[in-house]
Structure formats: structure tokens, C-alpha cells
Amino acid sequence: MPISIHANPTPDSRHEPLPSASNVVMIDNYDSFTWNVYQFLTLEGANVTVHRNDKITLQEVIDAKPTQLVVSPGPGHPDKDAGISKDCIRYFAGKIPVLGVCMGEQCIFSVFGGDVKYAGEIVHGKTSQIKHDGRGIYKNVPQGVAVTRYHSLAGTHATLPKELEVTSWTDSGIIMGVRHKEYTVEGVQYHPESILTEEGRLIIRNFLEMKGGTWKECYSEEAAKTASEQTASTSTPAKEPSILDKIYAHRRELVAAQKLVPSQRPEDLETLYSLGISPPPIDFPARLRAVSTKVALMAEIKRASPSKGDIDLHVNAALQARTYALSGAAAISVLTEPKWFKGSIDDLRAARQAVEGMPNRPAILRKEFIFDEYQILEARLAGADTVLLIVKMLDQELLERLYNYSKSLGMEPLVEVNNKEEMERALSIGSKVIGVNNRDLHCFKVDLGTTSGLVSMVDPNEVILCALSGIATRDDVARYEAESVGAILVGETLMRAGKDVDSCIRTLLNDIPAPVKTSTGAGGCPCPSSTLLVKICGTRTVEAAKVAVESGADLVGMILVPGTKRSVDFATAKAISEVVHSTYKPGVDASSLPELASATSSGATNAKDWFTHGTDAALLHPARALLIGVFRDQPLNEVLRLQKLLELDIVQLHGSEPQEWARLIPCPVIKKFSPGSPASEVFRRGYHAVALLDSGAGGTGELVDIDKVKRVLEDGGGVGVLLAGGLDEKNVRDVVGKATGDREGKAKGGSVIGVDVSSGVETDGRQDLRKIRRFVHLVKGRDVSGM
């Protein structure tokens, strides 16, 4: 005979008998809490029979024809200590409602293929606050309720069966509840019957009111509630969770699973950070203030959104980030949420890499639903300068903790609010950048007045107020400018602008000057001069160097490769250095130097492409030519030694040296490539200041392959290069013209910014001063008659 409990509790709060729970069967896994579970069930009006897990057969339970099945808590592991519990779950799932408590929940997890392992902590009578999805047994249960836990085991995110979904969780990501997506099967990893668990009786009541074996069947009679996303579309819950609640629950689940992956565990990320390999951050508030416009623009990369659906699924995050940066964005917001926004942390990493090395680069914002320090550290390692913290989804203790953690990593967060109360919470923790979301996350309605209504709460000298969402027109921006809002975030409008992003941004910000470009390609490399730069290389005498500078050459190169025919000894190199540093260009004298220095100093606040900066800062001097030392496959320490002793303005690496050397040499670097080199190598940003395309080892007189040059330039999208290889006064215009499309071969074609000549200004192997003068004048478009 089965052992049964028929005692009745006597509290005053007993409910009337519940017709839907007239024959509840509970399997007792030999746990003292079984009585308490039984008590709560009967208090809510259920008629309950309890059977020990090894004192009844599955067939006897089937013959009892239960209306619901409850599997109790218990010691041990569900795979070896639960008796017939798992068999009962397996049989009754899909036929009647099933509830598992603690070990009962673990049995559910195991039945459908999941692993139950050590939870990472042992808890005995500990209360934890949980978040939940608001459906099924959590209908009308407030968020953040305290529950009582007695367990050391739990189901793991990594092996969560596809049939189940996580319904509740702790702040540390431990699964506290699961639900079958189709069947009315629920499990909790805590004790709803404990006196310390809040809303335990409501959770039990919600279960006892369930009918049928599937969620569709459970609510088919009422068509008023839903307990699963798979429920029929005709039924809706009384209180539909907001999109924020849904995203939050989904992200909790994914992040918890990610933390278990080797190489992505919290300790793995902490080790990476301790190694100092995270890209250096910039000051987010300072970057927002360092703009020439009335408001700073935060431009967003967003493929999709819950309110608008798909926006641009094919956007390339790196290309979009570079476009935003060169168009005047002070910050780039990157959505990294994968399900609703179709983003990823890889998008953020690519966006950061795309702006790496840009002077005045925009700050990179991780726009994500952040609830854990893990996500902040992950963002920092990927190159973020700031992260988004949404006040609405964080309690005050967690908000402050995450804010301070972000600050400890060098990132001032963007703290998002939506009303006065949330603004007060953001200000109370010392936030320096606060964004007001104009969108109601429950109904998606946008009201630009949301930001306007909170302006008076912020001192603009202390806090940068940002308007988020719904900004689409110049009038929208002008409104915020008049209210002294410090920054605006624009996403959908820019994402839908296509190739007109630059003009769209200029319109929004009231016609800021467009970046100067020398071609239609991305990342053009302009030069203040309208003519090509000239480099006279293979210089071996002081006289030749002086003639080159006085003729108007921009660059003078010396070969410092021992054993080559144009190599110079140290004494000669030192003498050439002195004359180059002391000889002014034509039309320049000492009295004009202060004025020239002032004219070339820049107060620009917009980002500049790496190679644009390389041309402006590395290859141009207002008063004199720059001295270049040419090296080929020599030790790095020799390059560094000669650079210092000879006061080289630029180092040219003409062999197979690693590109990384450019970051170790304390002056700009020109890197030589053959015309057939991949454009991805030639135009790799963040290393050499400019690329030199040369046909051979240098000084051979071999004419450069024009067709290969054209292909490289086309793939480079208009980025400028220096061109060398068999050039002389007779062919230079024709070669440059064919390479750039400029028939006259005089002005820069947006791809070739300068020419490098060596053998072309020699006679019988010696530098010819007349040829030097003629070559420079010809390239600069000056008269050469009489020379």
C-alpha cells in the first residue's frame, strides 16, 4: 500500500476547494519540506495525495488519474535518488500540469536532456532575489522577490534542453526556474513553500489553476492568459511583459551560458585585462564636449530593432563606423544584442578597429542590456570607451556597482533614464553623461518632450545631457540645441541614409563642413598642396641635398643600407642631415617661420583618416624638406640608433620588415610595397604613415607596372600613396596620369600623392643637379625652359 499524507493544515487563510486541483498527486523524495509543500497546496484549495518515490509504481500513479503532478524537493542527485519521479514526469508531461520543486526541477531538467551539476555555491536557507519572465507560475508575481534556497546542484545553461526555457534566475545567473515550451511543465530551484519566500502561495496558486497538458490547452477556455511564447496567438496575458523584460531575460540566459565557455569565463577575461591587451580608451565626456557644433552626435550602428524590425541587415560595422567618424560623429553607438537588434560584440570590435589610429577618433559605446560586470569587462577588451547602463532594469545597488566598476576600467558610462525618478537615481551616483530615452519601452511611443521635461534637473557644466531615440530631422536637433542638450543619439535615420550618411549628418548638425576628400572612395587622403609631393632619393652629397631642397623638393632620402651602390657613410649622412635641416624651401625665410607654424596648427575636432593624418603630419613641413633614412632588412636596433643620431624625420622600410615596427620607431614610417601587394596590407591603418609602391628593391630603373598600381589604388578606395620605379622627367607625367586618370599627370589624382625618384635624376650613376632641378620643377608644374 502507498504511504499517503491526509492531514489538513488549519491556518485562517485557507482557500475554498479548487475544482481544477481536485486530485493532485505529489511524489515525495524523502525530504522534510514535502510537508510544507503539501500544506501550501492544500491552503490554496487542492486535494493532495503524497507518495514516497519508491513506495508506488508508475502504473499506480497513472491509475490514480491525477489532475496535477508535483515532484517534491529531496537530497541527492535526480539521476540516482529520485525513484519514480523522472518516470512520472516523462509520462505525464503533455497530459497534465507538472510542477517540480528543487530536486523536482532538476528531474525536469534531466528528463529533457539537460545536465544537473554543481551550481558554483552551496546554499542552505539562503534567500536570493530573482528576476523572472512574468508568465506561467509567475503571473502577477513582482520582480525581485526573495526566495529561499537549499541546494548545491542546478541545471546548467550550457546544456539547457531546447524544449525548455529559463523562467527565473539570480543576479549571478544561476537558473532558478525552467518551463517546457509546449507542455504545462514548470520547475523551480527554490522553496516556494518557505516562510522566507515572498509570494510563494501565489506561485503555487498559479500552478493549481492550470488545466491540460499543453499551454495551448491550458488557456483555450479563457483565451485571456498565456504562459509561453509558443501559446496560440489568440490568447494574451493580463500583463504582457515589456520588450525590456523579454530582452533582459534572454540576455541573462545567454550571458550565463557564455560564462561557462572555456576562454570566455570571467577569470579568462580578467586575465586578458591584466595582461594589458585591451585597446586604450579615450575620455568619453571630454570627447562629447570637444566638438565645434552645438550638440555632439552619437551615431548608431543598428541593423534592426523591436519597434522597426529589420533596418539594414547587410551593413558592415567597420565601414559604417569609419563613415560616421569621418562625417563628424563624436561617438559611435554599437548595438551588440543579437536577437532583437541583430548585433554582436564582434561588431563593436570591428568598429573600434576601423577608427583605430584616427586623430580625434570618436568614442565607442557598447549599447547593450547590461546587468553584470562581465559584460562591461567584455566591452573594454573589445575596445569600448563607454557602456550603456539602463536605470529602468537595474536596482540602485546594482546600478551603482556597475557604474563604479565601469569607472574602474577607465570608462564613464552613459546612464539611460526615462523619467524624473530615474534621473534622480542617475544623479545620485554621480553620473557625468545621462541619456534620456524618448521611447516608451512598453508601447514604443516616442515623445521628444521626454528629454525636454528633464533638462532643468541637470547642470550642463557638470553633466552632459543626451537625447536618445526618435531624432530624425534638423528641427528635432534645433529644438535640443535651444534647450542646451549636450548630445543626440541618431540611429535609424542614419542607417537608412545609405550613401548619403555624410550629407544627412551635415543637415542634422546644421551644415558642418564636409571632410575634404580627393576622390569618391572612402578615406581619401588630401594634401594642402595642389601638386604632387617630390622625394629625391639616393642622395649622396651635401650639394645634391641642398639643390633638391632649394628646388622645392618635399622629401630628401638617404640610403643607409650597407653594401648598396647608393649607400652613404655616417659622416656624409650627418652632413646631409645638417644641410636638410637648415635649408629653407623657396620663398621661405626665418622671419616667416612663426606665421607658417601658426597656419599649419590645427584646431580640428573631427576625426581624420589615418592616412590623411599621415600625409598632413608626416610628409609636409611648412619651411623645409624632410629627411628620410632608407633601410632594408636591417636589425631594429640599428634603425633606431641611426634615426636618433642622424635626426631622421622619417624612416623608410624598404625590405620585408614587419609592419609592427612602425609602432616601435619614434618617427613616421614609409613602408615599401610592390604594386601587386594586397590592398589590405598596403592600406593597413595604424602602422605606416604612407605606403610607397615600388617595382623593385629601389634605384633599379625598372618601370613600375601601371596596371597593377591602378588595381591597388582602386582597392584602396582613394587612399594616397607614393609612387616609385623607373620615373624620370620624360615619363613621370604619363605614368602618374595613367595611374590616376589625370591626363596631364600634374595634380594629385586622389591616389598618388607624390613621386619618388632616384636613378631618374642620375647621369652615369651620379646624381645630376640639373636633372634634380628639372624633375622637381616639372612635377610641381613650373617652367623648365632654360634649365
Side-chain angles (χ1 to χ4, degrees):
M1 293 291 293
I3 299 175
S4 302
I5 300 176
H6 297 290
N8 292 316
T10 58
D12 296 335
S13 55
R14 179 192 300 276
H15 282 265
E16 294 297 319
L18 193 62
S20 61
S22 59
N23 186 23
V24 177
V25 169
M26 180 163 63
I27 304 300
D28 174 22
N29 286 302
Y30 285 85
D31 194 86
S32 60
F33 280 101
T34 300
W35 162 255
N36 303 81
V37 177
Y38 168 80
Q39 183 184 43
F40 266 48
L41 291 169
T42 56
L43 285 174
E44 294 302 322
N47 181 39
V48 185
T49 303
V50 182
H51 303 274
R52 293 272 171 83
N53 67 19
D54 58 351
K55 301 300 182 182
I56 190 171
T57 65
L58 173 61
Q59 187 58 53
E60 288 175 313
V61 178
I62 295 171
D63 292 342
K65 298 180 179 179
T67 54
Q68 284 101 348
L69 175 71
V70 177
V71 181
S72 84
H77 195 282
D79 290 347
K80 58 183 180 179
D81 300 306
I84 65 165
S85 297
K86 290 175 61 177
D87 289 338
C88 288
I89 293 170
R90 193 175 289 111
Y91 177 83
F92 286 106
K95 298 180 176 67
I96 62 173
V98 177
L99 174 66
V101 179
C102 287
M103 179 187 274
E105 186 261 3
Q106 296 168 12
C107 287
I108 292 171
F109 205 92
S110 179
V111 162
F112 292 101
D115 289 343
V116 177
K117 296 181 178 180
Y118 177 57
E121 56 182 335
I122 299 175
V123 290
H124 188 81
K126 174 184 177 181
T127 59
S128 299
Q129 288 186 324
I130 63 167
K131 297 289 176 58
H132 58 77
D133 63 4
R135 296 180 283 126
I137 60 174
Y138 294 109
K139 177 179 59 179
N140 299 325
V141 175
Q143 292 290 345
V145 293
V147 300
T148 307
R149 299 165 57 193
Y150 289 83
H151 69 99
S152 60
L153 303 176
T156 64
H157 286 273
T159 66
L160 179 71
K162 66 180 184 301
E163 296 90 351
L164 302 183
E165 59 187 355
V166 175
T167 60
S168 57
W169 53 88
T170 67
D171 283 340
S172 60
I174 295 175
I175 295 174
M176 286 289 103
V178 294
R179 173 188 304 121
H180 198 284
K181 295 176 180 178
E182 181 182 357
Y183 304 150
T184 47
V185 175
E186 297 253 17
V188 294
Q189 185 60 74
Y190 55 86
H191 289 261
E193 79 285 357
S194 170
I195 192 172
L196 296 178
T197 295
E198 298 173 336
E199 303 294 346
R201 287 188 60 174
L202 177 57
I203 291 170
I204 295 293
R205 180 79 180 189
N206 285 337
F207 169 72
L208 293 175
E209 289 180 343
M210 295 176 183
K211 298 178 182 179
T214 66
W215 295 114
K216 183 175 181 179
E217 181 183 1
C218 181
Y219 293 112
S220 61
E221 296 180 2
E222 304 144 32
K225 308 288 186 221
T226 178
S228 173
E229 291 179 1
Q230 286 70 36
T231 304
S233 60
T234 55
S235 60
T236 56
K239 184 179 180 181
E240 178 70 20
S242 71
I243 187 61
L244 182 60
D245 294 332
K246 294 178 181 178
I247 296 174
Y248 185 44
H250 185 256
R251 292 304 287 149
R252 299 284 299 199
E253 182 178 337
L254 293 185
V255 170
Q258 183 177 323
K259 285 183 176 182
L260 301 175
V261 178
S263 82
Q264 297 185 51
R265 297 167 300 184
E267 58 268 32
D268 297 322
L269 268 57
E270 289 166 3
T271 299
L272 291 175
Y273 185 74
S274 70
L275 293 174
I277 63 175
S278 58
I282 62 174
D283 188 320
F284 176 46
R287 185 62 184 89
L288 292 182
R289 294 188 188 279
V291 295
S292 58
T293 50
K294 291 184 178 180
V295 295
L297 171 67
M298 295 187 287
E300 189 158 87
I301 299 174
K302 177 168 63 176
R303 292 190 178 89
S305 75
S307 59
K308 300 294 184 178
D310 294 346
I311 298 173
D312 185 354
L313 297 182
H314 303 291
V315 69
N316 181 283
L319 181 59
Q320 192 77 357
R322 186 170 292 170
T323 301
Y324 284 160
L326 297 177
S327 299
I332 297 174
S333 169
V334 185
L335 265 300
T336 61
E337 192 284 321
K339 182 175 181 179
W340 284 271
F341 293 90
K342 306 295 191 291
S344 71
I345 194 67
D346 289 332
D347 285 337
L348 186 141
R349 188 175 291 108
R352 172 57 192 268
Q353 291 173 348
V355 302
E356 187 67 29
M358 285 187 179
N360 303 312
R361 73 165 177 85
I364 302 297
L365 161 69
R366 182 180 192 182
K367 194 172 185 187
E368 175 61 277
F369 300 84
I370 289 177
F371 49 83
D372 195 311
E373 288 89 346
Y374 177 89
Q375 297 166 287
I376 298 174
L377 180 55
E378 181 186 39
R380 180 78 283 282
L381 288 169
D385 302 292
T386 181
V387 296
L388 179 71
L389 299 179
I390 303 174
V391 173
K392 189 182 297 294
M393 63 181 280
L394 305 170
D395 60 44
Q396 193 64 14
E397 184 275 333
L398 182 56
L399 173 64
E400 186 168 5
R401 194 178 82 214
L402 295 177
Y403 176 84
N404 290 332
Y405 181 72
S406 180
K407 293 269 289 183
S408 74
L409 299 184
M411 299 189 296
E412 175 69 38
L414 170 61
V415 180
E416 179 187 305
V417 304
N418 183 248
N419 53 47
K420 180 179 178 181
E421 179 186 3
E422 291 176 3
M423 175 65 82
E424 290 172 344
R425 291 177 58 196
L427 290 171
S428 72
I429 64 173
S431 301
K432 299 300 181 185
V433 185
I434 299 178
V436 181
N437 195 340
N438 293 319
R439 190 184 305 280
D440 186 322
L441 293 178
H442 292 277
C443 65
F444 296 125
K445 179 182 178 181
V446 174
D447 180 4
L448 298 184
T450 306
T451 298
S452 303
L454 299 178
V455 168
S456 62
M457 297 182 67
V458 171
D459 179 354
N461 295 317
E462 299 293 330
V463 177
I464 300 174
L465 186 65
C466 311
L468 317 178
S469 297
I471 300 166
T473 68
R474 170 60 198 159
D475 288 343
D476 296 338
V477 180
R479 166 186 181 153
Y480 290 134
E481 289 175 347
E483 296 172 345
S484 297
V485 170
I488 56 171
L489 186 144
V490 183
E492 181 186 354
T493 297
L494 298 181
M495 291 297 296
R496 295 190 188 280
K499 296 181 179 180
D500 297 324
V501 169
D502 183 69
S503 60
C504 181
I505 289 177
R506 295 203 312 274
T507 298
L508 289 173
L509 299 183
N510 197 21
D511 252 347
I512 63 170
V516 178
K517 296 181 180 178
T518 58
S519 77
T520 57
C525 191
C527 174
S529 169
S530 62
T531 59
L532 291 166
L533 299 174
V534 177
K535 176 190 170 197
I536 302 298
C537 201
T539 304
R540 300 187 289 285
T541 66
V542 169
E543 185 179 18
K546 189 173 182 65
V547 168
V549 177
E550 291 177 341
S551 299
D554 304 282
L555 308 163
V556 175
M558 301 183 296
I559 307 300
L560 301 176
V561 185
T564 57
K565 65 180 180 179
R566 294 184 177 86
S567 179
V568 294
D569 58 36
F570 179 80
T572 303
K574 187 68 175 176
I576 291 173
S577 174
E578 291 173 357
V579 75
V580 171
H581 282 86
S582 61
T583 303
Y584 297 139
K585 290 180 178 180
V588 177
D589 56 45
S591 63
S592 63
L593 292 182
E595 182 180 347
L596 288 172
S598 175
T600 55
S601 63
S602 173
T605 58
N606 289 347
K608 184 183 291 186
D609 183 80
W610 169 261
F611 288 111
T612 302
H613 172 70
T615 300
D616 293 347
L619 303 186
L620 298 170
H621 191 285
R624 63 174 179 84
L626 296 174
L627 182 64
I628 299 176
V630 180
F631 299 86
R632 188 175 69 214
D633 297 325
Q634 292 154 259
L636 177 61
N637 60 357
E638 181 179 348
V639 175
L640 297 175
R641 180 178 65 85
L642 291 177
Q643 187 277 329
K644 182 177 182 180
L645 291 175
L646 297 175
E647 299 181 85
L648 300 177
D649 298 305
I650 300 171
V651 163
Q652 180 174 315
L653 299 177
H654 212 81
S656 57
E657 300 89 352
Q659 290 191 37
E660 289 91 337
W661 279 20
R663 292 185 173 182
L664 304 175
I665 297 172
C667 68
V669 170
I670 295 173
K671 184 77 171 77
K672 177 259 179 182
F673 295 89
S674 66
S677 299
S680 59
E681 296 296 317
V682 176
F683 303 114
R684 186 188 299 278
R685 288 164 171 82
Y687 296 91
H688 50 278
V690 66
L692 169 70
L693 296 183
D694 195 352
S695 56
T700 63
E702 177 186 348
L703 187 63
V704 68
D705 188 319
I706 301 300
D707 290 334
K708 288 184 178 179
V709 170
K710 289 174 66 175
R711 284 195 291 272
V712 173
L713 297 181
E714 289 170 358
D715 292 342
V719 175
V721 300
L722 295 174
L723 189 62
L727 301 178
D728 59 32
E729 64 177 79
K730 296 178 181 179
N731 67 17
V732 63
R733 286 188 176 182
D734 182 59
V735 171
V736 172
K738 289 179 179 178
T740 64
D742 175 14
R743 293 184 178 180
E744 295 187 8
K746 294 186 298 182
K748 301 181 307 303
S751 299
V752 175
I753 59 170
V755 291
D756 182 334
V757 64
S758 180
S759 62
V761 291
E762 294 178 349
T763 299
D764 297 329
R766 298 170 61 88
Q767 284 186 297
D768 187 319
L769 304 184
R770 175 177 173 274
K771 286 185 177 180
I772 291 175
R773 292 190 185 96
R774 285 182 59 84
F775 187 89
V776 174
H777 279 247
L778 184 70
V779 173
K780 296 293 186 180
R782 302 174 193 154
D783 184 17
V784 295
S785 60
M787 283 188 175

